[in-house]
Amino acid sequence: MDVVWHNIPYLLIGAVTTLKISLIAVTFGIILGLFAGMGRLSSNKLVRFLATCYVDFFRGTPLLVQILIVYFGLPQLYGQGQTFLFIHFGVGHAVTTTQISDFLAAIIAFSLNSGAYVGEIFRAGIQSIEKGQREAALSLGMTPSQSMRYVILPQAFRRVVPPLGNEFIAMLKDTALLTVIGVEELLRKGEILNSNYFKPFQIFLSVAFIYLIMTLTFSRFVDYTERRLGVHDHN
Amino acid sequence: MTIIKVRGLHKSFGHLEVLRGIDLDVAEGEKLVIIGPSGSGKSTLLRCLNQLEEATAGSIEFDGTELTARKTDLPKVREHIGMVFQSFNLFPHKNATENITIALLKVKGMEKHEAERRALALLDKVGLSDKAGSYPQELSGGQQQRVAIARALAMQPRVMLFDEPTSALDPEMVGEVLEVMRGLTREGMTLIFVTHEMKFAQEVGDRVIFMDEGLIVEEDIPSQIFTNPTNARTRSFLSRVMK
Ligand SMILES: Nc1ncnc2c1ncn2[C@@H]1O[C@H](COP(=O)(O)OP(=O)(O)O)[C@@H](O)[C@H]1O
Ligand SMILES: [Mg+2]
């Protein structure tokens, strides 16, 4: 167990990276998700179609594939004859030859992915508000966008706190996928330790516990927020 | 002077034709009562008047403005047409005062203190000055509906539409809401009520319309229609609800 105790700080550095990526990505995810969710409910057919394509793509394909597309695929689009990257990927040279930092790629991939899930959460949240709320707002002379902003969204936000919290926790766990592109998040740190000490059971179990502490902390926090916000909601 | 003029109004939901040609004139200051069996299209007619439902055919004029025209600024028109719903539809994330001030602030652009002053005056008028800070779920049904009436009145509309305002209430709360509405009838505002409160209808109505299957079947002054209905369907409806 000494191996583990001595290297806790090292693992925690990875945990901080995990948190950083999760928090930044969920922030962008919420912004993207707001657009995606409202887009899916738009009366404009084209907007609705584009929002649906976005949501379907990112929910309907493996996150790992999305990460690889962003990390290896995006730089290729910027020219530089990067096809050889894919050849080298197999033998692990890609990390040094890509044009996009692994951290940035992680943020982009996770933001886009979480935007799609959050979009569906918002859509469901908006649709769960009784239609009489919008009608009351309109009958007072509000425009449809005023009724969205002052009446529907504030209520929908309260209702989406629990599913948003779950989405965040799911994403936090999914960041472990980032080891494949070499981001030094929690799991990657564990792998590096293991390649030095060859104690996979102790090391990966510790990694798992650190994930568990983070996810449990957040789910308690979500429960608490939910109770706080629930005070003035009628169901 | 006519404030609302409806001609040949049709409304369908898919294949279901709910309004089948309504002609109606409402005079400024009139207290109009609409009665009829459930499903006859009363709510739909009311909701067409402020365009919460789009008409399928026909025309609706409010104070000379054609509401079915594409270019009509509906939010502007709706400022002048208050509506009270059967299910109150108060905003649950806002307290009583905020329910009343929100449209004053966001639609009319009124100063906050002025809006609050108006809200308090209206809460006083509906007998709820002590509930200014209460949230809807802390209020009884009757209190919620009175706040909803105050909220609609705050915009100082020229017409108020009431869609069965007491139908969702426990019997002991009906009276307090009717009392508030009775007060309004003394103020010269145009009021249109859909209601099953026949005594109230008789008492405050200038005119009563009986609807059935999407049509206005009979209309008359209350003393006539309630004591001496000419149409057989009106008679059978009234005999069912007045017993
Ligand atoms: N949004 C809607 N979609 C489909 N059918 C509707 C809708 N609103 C009302 N209806 C139907 O229209 C008919 C008349 O409804 P309504 O105007 O509410 O009648 P009333 O208020 O007289 O009881 C009913 O058969 C009702 O089911
Ligand atoms: Mg009705």
PDB file of all heavy atoms in Angstrom, chain A residues 179-211:
ATOM      1  N   THR A 179      -7.529   8.892 -21.646  1.00  0.00           N
ATOM      2  CA  THR A 179      -6.196   8.270 -21.599  1.00  0.00           C
ATOM      3  C   THR A 179      -5.728   7.905 -23.006  1.00  0.00           C
ATOM      4  O   THR A 179      -4.545   7.967 -23.291  1.00  0.00           O
ATOM      5  CB  THR A 179      -6.183   6.967 -20.780  1.00  0.00           C
ATOM      6  OG1 THR A 179      -7.243   6.142 -21.237  1.00  0.00           O
ATOM      7  CG2 THR A 179      -6.321   7.242 -19.316  1.00  0.00           C
ATOM      8  N   VAL A 180      -6.670   7.551 -23.886  1.00  0.00           N
ATOM      9  CA  VAL A 180      -6.252   7.098 -25.233  1.00  0.00           C
ATOM     10  C   VAL A 180      -5.561   8.205 -26.019  1.00  0.00           C
ATOM     11  O   VAL A 180      -4.799   7.929 -26.932  1.00  0.00           O
ATOM     12  CB  VAL A 180      -7.420   6.539 -26.083  1.00  0.00           C
ATOM     13  CG1 VAL A 180      -8.052   5.340 -25.416  1.00  0.00           C
ATOM     14  CG2 VAL A 180      -8.432   7.607 -26.398  1.00  0.00           C
ATOM     15  N   ILE A 181      -5.855   9.460 -25.709  1.00  0.00           N
ATOM     16  CA  ILE A 181      -5.127  10.509 -26.426  1.00  0.00           C
ATOM     17  C   ILE A 181      -4.061  11.137 -25.521  1.00  0.00           C
ATOM     18  O   ILE A 181      -3.500  12.185 -25.833  1.00  0.00           O
ATOM     19  CB  ILE A 181      -6.069  11.592 -27.023  1.00  0.00           C
ATOM     20  CG1 ILE A 181      -6.903  12.274 -25.937  1.00  0.00           C
ATOM     21  CG2 ILE A 181      -6.977  10.980 -28.087  1.00  0.00           C
ATOM     22  CD1 ILE A 181      -7.612  13.539 -26.438  1.00  0.00           C
ATOM     23  N   GLY A 182      -3.807  10.502 -24.394  1.00  0.00           N
ATOM     24  CA  GLY A 182      -2.675  10.916 -23.573  1.00  0.00           C
ATOM     25  C   GLY A 182      -2.917  12.074 -22.625  1.00  0.00           C
ATOM     26  O   GLY A 182      -1.972  12.609 -22.050  1.00  0.00           O
ATOM     27  N   VAL A 183      -4.178  12.467 -22.439  1.00  0.00           N
ATOM     28  CA  VAL A 183      -4.446  13.526 -21.459  1.00  0.00           C
ATOM     29  C   VAL A 183      -4.098  12.980 -20.078  1.00  0.00           C
ATOM     30  O   VAL A 183      -4.538  11.892 -19.712  1.00  0.00           O
ATOM     31  CB  VAL A 183      -5.930  13.943 -21.483  1.00  0.00           C
ATOM     32  CG1 VAL A 183      -6.197  15.022 -20.427  1.00  0.00           C
ATOM     33  CG2 VAL A 183      -6.337  14.446 -22.861  1.00  0.00           C
ATOM     34  N   GLU A 184      -3.342  13.742 -19.303  1.00  0.00           N
ATOM     35  CA  GLU A 184      -2.922  13.219 -18.003  1.00  0.00           C
ATOM     36  C   GLU A 184      -3.976  13.457 -16.948  1.00  0.00           C
ATOM     37  O   GLU A 184      -3.763  14.172 -15.973  1.00  0.00           O
ATOM     38  CB  GLU A 184      -1.564  13.814 -17.612  1.00  0.00           C
ATOM     39  CG  GLU A 184      -0.498  13.402 -18.602  1.00  0.00           C
ATOM     40  CD  GLU A 184       0.896  13.297 -17.992  1.00  0.00           C
ATOM     41  OE1 GLU A 184       1.062  13.635 -16.794  1.00  0.00           O
ATOM     42  OE2 GLU A 184       1.815  12.879 -18.723  1.00  0.00           O
ATOM     43  N   GLU A 185      -5.125  12.837 -17.164  1.00  0.00           N
ATOM     44  CA  GLU A 185      -6.178  12.900 -16.149  1.00  0.00           C
ATOM     45  C   GLU A 185      -5.960  11.758 -15.169  1.00  0.00           C
ATOM     46  O   GLU A 185      -4.940  11.059 -15.238  1.00  0.00           O
ATOM     47  CB  GLU A 185      -7.580  12.919 -16.774  1.00  0.00           C
ATOM     48  CG  GLU A 185      -7.807  12.022 -17.970  1.00  0.00           C
ATOM     49  CD  GLU A 185      -7.655  10.581 -17.636  1.00  0.00           C
ATOM     50  OE1 GLU A 185      -8.438  10.116 -16.779  1.00  0.00           O
ATOM     51  OE2 GLU A 185      -6.780   9.901 -18.208  1.00  0.00           O
ATOM     52  N   LEU A 186      -6.916  11.556 -14.318  1.00  0.00           N
ATOM     53  CA  LEU A 186      -6.735  10.612 -13.221  1.00  0.00           C
ATOM     54  C   LEU A 186      -6.323   9.203 -13.660  1.00  0.00           C
ATOM     55  O   LEU A 186      -5.334   8.642 -13.167  1.00  0.00           O
ATOM     56  CB  LEU A 186      -8.031  10.569 -12.397  1.00  0.00           C
ATOM     57  CG  LEU A 186      -8.081   9.593 -11.227  1.00  0.00           C
ATOM     58  CD1 LEU A 186      -6.909   9.769 -10.289  1.00  0.00           C
ATOM     59  CD2 LEU A 186      -9.406   9.786 -10.463  1.00  0.00           C
ATOM     60  N   LEU A 187      -7.039   8.637 -14.603  1.00  0.00           N
ATOM     61  CA  LEU A 187      -6.720   7.268 -15.001  1.00  0.00           C
ATOM     62  C   LEU A 187      -5.334   7.172 -15.646  1.00  0.00           C
ATOM     63  O   LEU A 187      -4.566   6.242 -15.397  1.00  0.00           O
ATOM     64  CB  LEU A 187      -7.782   6.719 -15.971  1.00  0.00           C
ATOM     65  CG  LEU A 187      -7.507   5.311 -16.488  1.00  0.00           C
ATOM     66  CD1 LEU A 187      -7.428   4.294 -15.351  1.00  0.00           C
ATOM     67  CD2 LEU A 187      -8.582   4.880 -17.497  1.00  0.00           C
ATOM     68  N   ARG A 188      -5.008   8.159 -16.457  1.00  0.00           N
ATOM     69  CA  ARG A 188      -3.705   8.178 -17.127  1.00  0.00           C
ATOM     70  C   ARG A 188      -2.578   8.209 -16.095  1.00  0.00           C
ATOM     71  O   ARG A 188      -1.571   7.521 -16.216  1.00  0.00           O
ATOM     72  CB  ARG A 188      -3.637   9.395 -18.048  1.00  0.00           C
ATOM     73  CG  ARG A 188      -2.345   9.534 -18.806  1.00  0.00           C
ATOM     74  CD  ARG A 188      -2.353   8.714 -20.095  1.00  0.00           C
ATOM     75  NE  ARG A 188      -1.028   8.687 -20.685  1.00  0.00           N
ATOM     76  CZ  ARG A 188      -0.346   7.578 -20.968  1.00  0.00           C
ATOM     77  NH1 ARG A 188      -0.895   6.394 -20.744  1.00  0.00           N
ATOM     78  NH2 ARG A 188       0.851   7.637 -21.493  1.00  0.00           N
ATOM     79  N   LYS A 189      -2.780   9.029 -15.062  1.00  0.00           N
ATOM     80  CA  LYS A 189      -1.782   9.085 -13.991  1.00  0.00           C
ATOM     81  C   LYS A 189      -1.609   7.710 -13.365  1.00  0.00           C
ATOM     82  O   LYS A 189      -0.499   7.278 -13.062  1.00  0.00           O
ATOM     83  CB  LYS A 189      -2.205  10.098 -12.913  1.00  0.00           C
ATOM     84  CG  LYS A 189      -2.151  11.555 -13.368  1.00  0.00           C
ATOM     85  CD  LYS A 189      -0.740  12.054 -13.480  1.00  0.00           C
ATOM     86  CE  LYS A 189      -0.698  13.567 -13.630  1.00  0.00           C
ATOM     87  NZ  LYS A 189       0.603  14.057 -14.083  1.00  0.00           N
ATOM     88  N   GLY A 190      -2.739   7.022 -13.193  1.00  0.00           N
ATOM     89  CA  GLY A 190      -2.683   5.675 -12.638  1.00  0.00           C
ATOM     90  C   GLY A 190      -1.896   4.743 -13.548  1.00  0.00           C
ATOM     91  O   GLY A 190      -1.063   3.952 -13.083  1.00  0.00           O
ATOM     92  N   GLU A 191      -2.121   4.852 -14.826  1.00  0.00           N
ATOM     93  CA  GLU A 191      -1.406   4.006 -15.784  1.00  0.00           C
ATOM     94  C   GLU A 191       0.099   4.258 -15.721  1.00  0.00           C
ATOM     95  O   GLU A 191       0.912   3.322 -15.769  1.00  0.00           O
ATOM     96  CB  GLU A 191      -1.909   4.272 -17.205  1.00  0.00           C
ATOM     97  CG  GLU A 191      -3.255   3.631 -17.508  1.00  0.00           C
ATOM     98  CD  GLU A 191      -3.787   4.015 -18.885  1.00  0.00           C
ATOM     99  OE1 GLU A 191      -3.211   4.932 -19.518  1.00  0.00           O
ATOM    100  OE2 GLU A 191      -4.762   3.402 -19.324  1.00  0.00           O
ATOM    101  N   ILE A 192       0.442   5.535 -15.616  1.00  0.00           N
ATOM    102  CA  ILE A 192       1.872   5.873 -15.566  1.00  0.00           C
ATOM    103  C   ILE A 192       2.505   5.282 -14.306  1.00  0.00           C
ATOM    104  O   ILE A 192       3.573   4.659 -14.346  1.00  0.00           O
ATOM    105  CB  ILE A 192       2.072   7.407 -15.612  1.00  0.00           C
ATOM    106  CG1 ILE A 192       1.612   7.946 -16.973  1.00  0.00           C
ATOM    107  CG2 ILE A 192       3.530   7.773 -15.363  1.00  0.00           C
ATOM    108  CD1 ILE A 192       1.522   9.462 -17.051  1.00  0.00           C
ATOM    109  N   LEU A 193       1.782   5.463 -13.170  1.00  0.00           N
ATOM    110  CA  LEU A 193       2.274   4.874 -11.916  1.00  0.00           C
ATOM    111  C   LEU A 193       2.478   3.378 -12.076  1.00  0.00           C
ATOM    112  O   LEU A 193       3.497   2.819 -11.680  1.00  0.00           O
ATOM    113  CB  LEU A 193       1.256   5.098 -10.794  1.00  0.00           C
ATOM    114  CG  LEU A 193       1.325   6.360  -9.955  1.00  0.00           C
ATOM    115  CD1 LEU A 193       0.395   6.203  -8.750  1.00  0.00           C
ATOM    116  CD2 LEU A 193       2.760   6.601  -9.491  1.00  0.00           C
ATOM    117  N   ASN A 194       1.462   2.751 -12.673  1.00  0.00           N
ATOM    118  CA  ASN A 194       1.495   1.302 -12.793  1.00  0.00           C
ATOM    119  C   ASN A 194       2.665   0.839 -13.661  1.00  0.00           C
ATOM    120  O   ASN A 194       3.264  -0.206 -13.400  1.00  0.00           O
ATOM    121  CB  ASN A 194       0.176   0.792 -13.365  1.00  0.00           C
ATOM    122  CG  ASN A 194       0.117  -0.724 -13.349  1.00  0.00           C
ATOM    123  OD1 ASN A 194       0.427  -1.333 -12.322  1.00  0.00           O
ATOM    124  ND2 ASN A 194      -0.249  -1.312 -14.471  1.00  0.00           N
ATOM    125  N   SER A 195       2.992   1.642 -14.668  1.00  0.00           N
ATOM    126  CA  SER A 195       4.094   1.208 -15.525  1.00  0.00           C
ATOM    127  C   SER A 195       5.428   1.311 -14.784  1.00  0.00           C
ATOM    128  O   SER A 195       6.415   0.702 -15.161  1.00  0.00           O
ATOM    129  CB  SER A 195       4.112   2.010 -16.827  1.00  0.00           C
ATOM    130  OG  SER A 195       4.330   3.368 -16.538  1.00  0.00           O
ATOM    131  N   ASN A 196       5.432   2.093 -13.683  1.00  0.00           N
ATOM    132  CA  ASN A 196       6.648   2.156 -12.865  1.00  0.00           C
ATOM    133  C   ASN A 196       6.678   1.083 -11.780  1.00  0.00           C
ATOM    134  O   ASN A 196       7.710   0.518 -11.481  1.00  0.00           O
ATOM    135  CB  ASN A 196       6.776   3.514 -12.184  1.00  0.00           C
ATOM    136  CG  ASN A 196       7.109   4.600 -13.203  1.00  0.00           C
ATOM    137  OD1 ASN A 196       7.749   4.318 -14.212  1.00  0.00           O
ATOM    138  ND2 ASN A 196       6.643   5.808 -12.946  1.00  0.00           N
ATOM    139  N   TYR A 197       5.499   0.844 -11.170  1.00  0.00           N
ATOM    140  CA  TYR A 197       5.491  -0.008  -9.983  1.00  0.00           C
ATOM    141  C   TYR A 197       4.911  -1.403 -10.199  1.00  0.00           C
ATOM    142  O   TYR A 197       5.063  -2.266  -9.347  1.00  0.00           O
ATOM    143  CB  TYR A 197       4.717   0.682  -8.847  1.00  0.00           C
ATOM    144  CG  TYR A 197       5.333   1.976  -8.400  1.00  0.00           C
ATOM    145  CD1 TYR A 197       4.840   3.193  -8.843  1.00  0.00           C
ATOM    146  CD2 TYR A 197       6.415   1.974  -7.508  1.00  0.00           C
ATOM    147  CE1 TYR A 197       5.401   4.388  -8.426  1.00  0.00           C
ATOM    148  CE2 TYR A 197       6.970   3.172  -7.083  1.00  0.00           C
ATOM    149  CZ  TYR A 197       6.472   4.375  -7.543  1.00  0.00           C
ATOM    150  OH  TYR A 197       7.006   5.541  -7.127  1.00  0.00           O
ATOM    151  N   PHE A 198       4.175  -1.575 -11.293  1.00  0.00           N
ATOM    152  CA  PHE A 198       3.516  -2.871 -11.583  1.00  0.00           C
ATOM    153  C   PHE A 198       2.683  -3.389 -10.418  1.00  0.00           C
ATOM    154  O   PHE A 198       2.830  -4.507  -9.967  1.00  0.00           O
ATOM    155  CB  PHE A 198       4.559  -3.926 -12.001  1.00  0.00           C
ATOM    156  CG  PHE A 198       5.439  -3.445 -13.105  1.00  0.00           C
ATOM    157  CD1 PHE A 198       6.766  -3.097 -12.861  1.00  0.00           C
ATOM    158  CD2 PHE A 198       4.932  -3.304 -14.398  1.00  0.00           C
ATOM    159  CE1 PHE A 198       7.559  -2.614 -13.885  1.00  0.00           C
ATOM    160  CE2 PHE A 198       5.732  -2.832 -15.424  1.00  0.00           C
ATOM    161  CZ  PHE A 198       7.052  -2.486 -15.170  1.00  0.00           C
ATOM    162  N   LYS A 199       1.848  -2.521  -9.872  1.00  0.00           N
ATOM    163  CA  LYS A 199       0.902  -2.935  -8.824  1.00  0.00           C
ATOM    164  C   LYS A 199      -0.504  -2.559  -9.288  1.00  0.00           C
ATOM    165  O   LYS A 199      -1.155  -1.690  -8.699  1.00  0.00           O
ATOM    166  CB  LYS A 199       1.211  -2.205  -7.503  1.00  0.00           C
ATOM    167  CG  LYS A 199       2.507  -2.586  -6.840  1.00  0.00           C
ATOM    168  CD  LYS A 199       2.238  -3.633  -5.761  1.00  0.00           C
ATOM    169  CE  LYS A 199       3.413  -3.827  -4.824  1.00  0.00           C
ATOM    170  NZ  LYS A 199       4.578  -4.446  -5.460  1.00  0.00           N
ATOM    171  N   PRO A 200      -0.956  -3.179 -10.365  1.00  0.00           N
ATOM    172  CA  PRO A 200      -2.224  -2.731 -10.969  1.00  0.00           C
ATOM    173  C   PRO A 200      -3.398  -2.763  -9.999  1.00  0.00           C
ATOM    174  O   PRO A 200      -4.215  -1.850  -9.972  1.00  0.00           O
ATOM    175  CB  PRO A 200      -2.438  -3.688 -12.137  1.00  0.00           C
ATOM    176  CG  PRO A 200      -1.509  -4.829 -11.912  1.00  0.00           C
ATOM    177  CD  PRO A 200      -0.369  -4.313 -11.083  1.00  0.00           C
ATOM    178  N   PHE A 201      -3.515  -3.790  -9.172  1.00  0.00           N
ATOM    179  CA  PHE A 201      -4.688  -3.881  -8.307  1.00  0.00           C
ATOM    180  C   PHE A 201      -4.775  -2.692  -7.355  1.00  0.00           C
ATOM    181  O   PHE A 201      -5.786  -1.988  -7.314  1.00  0.00           O
ATOM    182  CB  PHE A 201      -4.675  -5.200  -7.511  1.00  0.00           C
ATOM    183  CG  PHE A 201      -5.917  -5.383  -6.695  1.00  0.00           C
ATOM    184  CD1 PHE A 201      -7.122  -5.738  -7.309  1.00  0.00           C
ATOM    185  CD2 PHE A 201      -5.901  -5.179  -5.316  1.00  0.00           C
ATOM    186  CE1 PHE A 201      -8.281  -5.890  -6.561  1.00  0.00           C
ATOM    187  CE2 PHE A 201      -7.071  -5.325  -4.573  1.00  0.00           C
ATOM    188  CZ  PHE A 201      -8.249  -5.687  -5.194  1.00  0.00           C
ATOM    189  N   GLN A 202      -3.716  -2.450  -6.613  1.00  0.00           N
ATOM    190  CA  GLN A 202      -3.725  -1.341  -5.658  1.00  0.00           C
ATOM    191  C   GLN A 202      -3.907   0.000  -6.372  1.00  0.00           C
ATOM    192  O   GLN A 202      -4.676   0.857  -5.940  1.00  0.00           O
ATOM    193  CB  GLN A 202      -2.421  -1.288  -4.848  1.00  0.00           C
ATOM    194  CG  GLN A 202      -2.234  -2.429  -3.895  1.00  0.00           C
ATOM    195  CD  GLN A 202      -1.494  -3.599  -4.536  1.00  0.00           C
ATOM    196  OE1 GLN A 202      -1.668  -3.873  -5.745  1.00  0.00           O
ATOM    197  NE2 GLN A 202      -0.685  -4.303  -3.754  1.00  0.00           N
ATOM    198  N   ILE A 203      -3.181   0.160  -7.446  1.00  0.00           N
ATOM    199  CA  ILE A 203      -3.193   1.464  -8.110  1.00  0.00           C
ATOM    200  C   ILE A 203      -4.552   1.766  -8.737  1.00  0.00           C
ATOM    201  O   ILE A 203      -5.143   2.823  -8.492  1.00  0.00           O
ATOM    202  CB  ILE A 203      -2.068   1.539  -9.159  1.00  0.00           C
ATOM    203  CG1 ILE A 203      -0.720   1.622  -8.424  1.00  0.00           C
ATOM    204  CG2 ILE A 203      -2.257   2.773 -10.045  1.00  0.00           C
ATOM    205  CD1 ILE A 203       0.479   1.482  -9.320  1.00  0.00           C
ATOM    206  N   PHE A 204      -5.090   0.796  -9.490  1.00  0.00           N
ATOM    207  CA  PHE A 204      -6.361   1.088 -10.161  1.00  0.00           C
ATOM    208  C   PHE A 204      -7.523   1.137  -9.177  1.00  0.00           C
ATOM    209  O   PHE A 204      -8.492   1.861  -9.389  1.00  0.00           O
ATOM    210  CB  PHE A 204      -6.611   0.111 -11.308  1.00  0.00           C
ATOM    211  CG  PHE A 204      -5.674   0.349 -12.461  1.00  0.00           C
ATOM    212  CD1 PHE A 204      -4.845  -0.658 -12.934  1.00  0.00           C
ATOM    213  CD2 PHE A 204      -5.594   1.614 -13.056  1.00  0.00           C
ATOM    214  CE1 PHE A 204      -3.967  -0.409 -13.981  1.00  0.00           C
ATOM    215  CE2 PHE A 204      -4.722   1.862 -14.105  1.00  0.00           C
ATOM    216  CZ  PHE A 204      -3.899   0.845 -14.565  1.00  0.00           C
ATOM    217  N   LEU A 205      -7.397   0.380  -8.081  1.00  0.00           N
ATOM    218  CA  LEU A 205      -8.438   0.471  -7.065  1.00  0.00           C
ATOM    219  C   LEU A 205      -8.426   1.876  -6.427  1.00  0.00           C
ATOM    220  O   LEU A 205      -9.479   2.470  -6.187  1.00  0.00           O
ATOM    221  CB  LEU A 205      -8.227  -0.600  -5.991  1.00  0.00           C
ATOM    222  CG  LEU A 205      -9.441  -0.857  -5.096  1.00  0.00           C
ATOM    223  CD1 LEU A 205     -10.621  -1.372  -5.917  1.00  0.00           C
ATOM    224  CD2 LEU A 205      -9.085  -1.864  -3.996  1.00  0.00           C
ATOM    225  N   SER A 206      -7.240   2.401  -6.191  1.00  0.00           N
ATOM    226  CA  SER A 206      -7.160   3.768  -5.642  1.00  0.00           C
ATOM    227  C   SER A 206      -7.754   4.771  -6.616  1.00  0.00           C
ATOM    228  O   SER A 206      -8.472   5.697  -6.225  1.00  0.00           O
ATOM    229  CB  SER A 206      -5.715   4.164  -5.370  1.00  0.00           C
ATOM    230  OG  SER A 206      -5.017   3.104  -4.812  1.00  0.00           O
ATOM    231  N   VAL A 207      -7.423   4.572  -7.883  1.00  0.00           N
ATOM    232  CA  VAL A 207      -7.981   5.460  -8.915  1.00  0.00           C
ATOM    233  C   VAL A 207      -9.507   5.412  -8.836  1.00  0.00           C
ATOM    234  O   VAL A 207     -10.190   6.446  -8.822  1.00  0.00           O
ATOM    235  CB  VAL A 207      -7.469   5.037 -10.310  1.00  0.00           C
ATOM    236  CG1 VAL A 207      -8.311   5.684 -11.409  1.00  0.00           C
ATOM    237  CG2 VAL A 207      -6.002   5.411 -10.469  1.00  0.00           C
ATOM    238  N   ALA A 208     -10.038   4.187  -8.745  1.00  0.00           N
ATOM    239  CA  ALA A 208     -11.501   4.031  -8.683  1.00  0.00           C
ATOM    240  C   ALA A 208     -12.065   4.773  -7.473  1.00  0.00           C
ATOM    241  O   ALA A 208     -13.097   5.448  -7.571  1.00  0.00           O
ATOM    242  CB  ALA A 208     -11.868   2.549  -8.617  1.00  0.00           C
ATOM    243  N   PHE A 209     -11.369   4.665  -6.318  1.00  0.00           N
ATOM    244  CA  PHE A 209     -11.872   5.339  -5.122  1.00  0.00           C
ATOM    245  C   PHE A 209     -11.890   6.854  -5.279  1.00  0.00           C
ATOM    246  O   PHE A 209     -12.805   7.521  -4.804  1.00  0.00           O
ATOM    247  CB  PHE A 209     -11.056   4.938  -3.887  1.00  0.00           C
ATOM    248  CG  PHE A 209     -11.670   3.774  -3.171  1.00  0.00           C
ATOM    249  CD1 PHE A 209     -11.074   2.522  -3.193  1.00  0.00           C
ATOM    250  CD2 PHE A 209     -12.881   3.939  -2.495  1.00  0.00           C
ATOM    251  CE1 PHE A 209     -11.674   1.441  -2.547  1.00  0.00           C
ATOM    252  CE2 PHE A 209     -13.485   2.872  -1.850  1.00  0.00           C
ATOM    253  CZ  PHE A 209     -12.869   1.608  -1.876  1.00  0.00           C
ATOM    254  N   ILE A 210     -10.867   7.359  -5.935  1.00  0.00           N
ATOM    255  CA  ILE A 210     -10.845   8.821  -6.124  1.00  0.00           C
ATOM    256  C   ILE A 210     -12.013   9.244  -7.020  1.00  0.00           C
ATOM    257  O   ILE A 210     -12.700  10.238  -6.752  1.00  0.00           O
ATOM    258  CB  ILE A 210      -9.488   9.278  -6.691  1.00  0.00           C
ATOM    259  CG1 ILE A 210      -8.390   8.937  -5.678  1.00  0.00           C
ATOM    260  CG2 ILE A 210      -9.504  10.788  -6.949  1.00  0.00           C
ATOM    261  CD1 ILE A 210      -6.994   9.252  -6.148  1.00  0.00           C
ATOM    262  N   TYR A 211     -12.299   8.456  -8.078  1.00  0.00           N
ATOM    263  CA  TYR A 211     -13.488   8.743  -8.896  1.00  0.00           C
ATOM    264  C   TYR A 211     -14.743   8.704  -8.033  1.00  0.00           C
ATOM    265  O   TYR A 211     -15.617   9.559  -8.116  1.00  0.00           O
ATOM    266  CB  TYR A 211     -13.637   7.721 -10.032  1.00  0.00           C
ATOM    267  CG  TYR A 211     -12.807   8.035 -11.260  1.00  0.00           C
ATOM    268  CD1 TYR A 211     -11.758   7.196 -11.648  1.00  0.00           C
ATOM    269  CD2 TYR A 211     -13.084   9.160 -12.036  1.00  0.00           C
ATOM    270  CE1 TYR A 211     -11.005   7.478 -12.773  1.00  0.00           C
ATOM    271  CE2 TYR A 211     -12.332   9.446 -13.173  1.00  0.00           C
ATOM    272  CZ  TYR A 211     -11.284   8.601 -13.539  1.00  0.00           C
ATOM    273  OH  TYR A 211     -10.543   8.885 -14.643  1.00  0.00           O
TER     274      TYR A 211
END
